[in-house]
Amino acid sequence: MAPKSGIAVGLNKGHITTVRELKQKPSYRKGALSKRTAFVRNIVREVAGFAPYERRVMELIKNSKDKRAKKLTKRRLGTFVRAKKKIDELSAVIAESRRHH
């Protein structure tokens, strides 16, 4: 952003101020994954396994029916962004299982 000109009109209008370095607020961390949460989710995934729709989606991905898989996950999860994230996650699981065997 261009510096303020001190004039009330124009592109860079506004009072000239010094930019302060603000302290990081805890709220900026919202949504960031903690080590503990990641660990717990990993354990739950190991114990509980995959939901039936997730298994079906993995089967669709294996058979290269990506569009159908995206449609199914979108129906189940509600938004396309969540669906894409889930597909990436399940694709990674499939790739990992291929690497392991």
Side-chain angles (χ1 to χ4, degrees), residues 89-101:
E89 182 187 315
L90 295 175
S91 298
V93 169
I94 292 168
E96 184 62 39
S97 70
R98 282 195 184 131
R99 227 176 289 128
H100 235 263
H101 292 294

Side-chain angles (χ1 to χ4, degrees), residues 4 7-8 13 21 41 48 51 55 57 60 64 66 70 76 80-81 96:
K4 303 284 187 181
I7 300 171
K13 68 180 180 183
E21 197 59 44
R41 282 185 190 160
R55 286 198 291 271
V57 166
L60 286 168
S64 68
D66 294 358
K70 277 195 180 113
R76 292 298 158 114
F80 196 64
V81 172
E96 184 62 39

